[in-house]
Amino acid sequence: MSDTRQQLKQIATEQIRRHTLHAASFREMGKVLGIKSSSVHYHFDNRDALLQELVSDYEQDFFARLEECCADISSPRQRLQQLAGLFIDSHQQQQQCLCLAFAAAGDEASAEQRLAVQQFLRRLEEWVEDTLLRAHLLPLARPELARVIVSALEGALLLDRDQPQPLRLQATSQWLSTLTRL
């Protein structure tokens, strides 16, 4: 993959994670990189193709980071804390979850992109479910609890977005540590 193509993908990802899906226009990406928007078209057939690729890359990168930070951890409590830490890191970088930006975009995202976001969320919920297999839990089924945990983290990141401190994310992280008795 060319350096320019990779730089364009990085710019688009940062624009979306810092702002909205709409911020990733070929014109804006070209402006940031110092090239014409027509040159951006050389690297990507169209904006939808670029956005679809970004979601796929984000999912791969997110789960690679998650697996890396949890590789030697078996404790459900510690694994959930590592997951919360990824969201807190996003806040510190003043970024939202890329998939949250796509979900918030509604009809601006294509059906394929919305499907890819749903796949990311299902995969994240499955990771949480797997993490909870060895935990003693509240009287809520693991699939539902996994959905609540993912929703709490995504929502806290969104609500803390313009705040200097990630108070909701920190509260969510503390709450996660109360869910298991090991």
Side-chain angles (χ1 to χ4, degrees), residues 106-156:
D107 289 341
E108 185 180 347
S110 71
E112 293 82 16
Q113 293 157 9
R114 289 191 302 270
L115 186 61
V117 168
Q118 291 304 312
Q119 175 183 313
F120 170 84
L121 292 172
R122 272 193 306 277
R123 186 173 174 192
L124 185 53
E125 290 166 356
E126 288 170 1
W127 185 92
V128 172
E129 277 186 69
D130 289 345
T131 292
L132 296 174
L133 283 176
R134 291 188 218 114
H136 302 282
L137 302 170
L138 300 171
L140 185 62
R142 280 183 183 83
E144 285 79 18
L145 185 55
R147 285 186 209 105
V148 170
I149 290 170
V150 170
S151 298
L153 287 167
E154 292 282 6

Side-chain angles (χ1 to χ4, degrees), residues 8 12 22-32 35-51:
L8 288 167
H22 187 68
S25 71
F26 279 18
R27 177 174 285 137
E28 286 302 312
M29 292 183 328
K31 187 187 304 182
V32 171
I35 61 176
K36 295 179 181 180
S37 63
S38 59
S39 297
V40 176
H41 284 277
Y42 171 79
H43 297 281
F44 303 100
D45 290 337
N46 56 51
R47 185 170 180 265
D48 278 345
L50 164 66
L51 295 177

Side-chain angles (χ1 to χ4, degrees), residues 152-175:
L153 287 167
E154 292 282 6
L157 180 58
L158 177 63
L159 293 172
D160 282 346
R161 183 177 176 173
D162 294 326
Q163 303 302 312
Q165 297 296 318
L167 299 177
R168 289 164 191 85
L169 278 168
Q170 290 168 345
T172 301
S173 180
Q174 290 172 357
W175 169 72

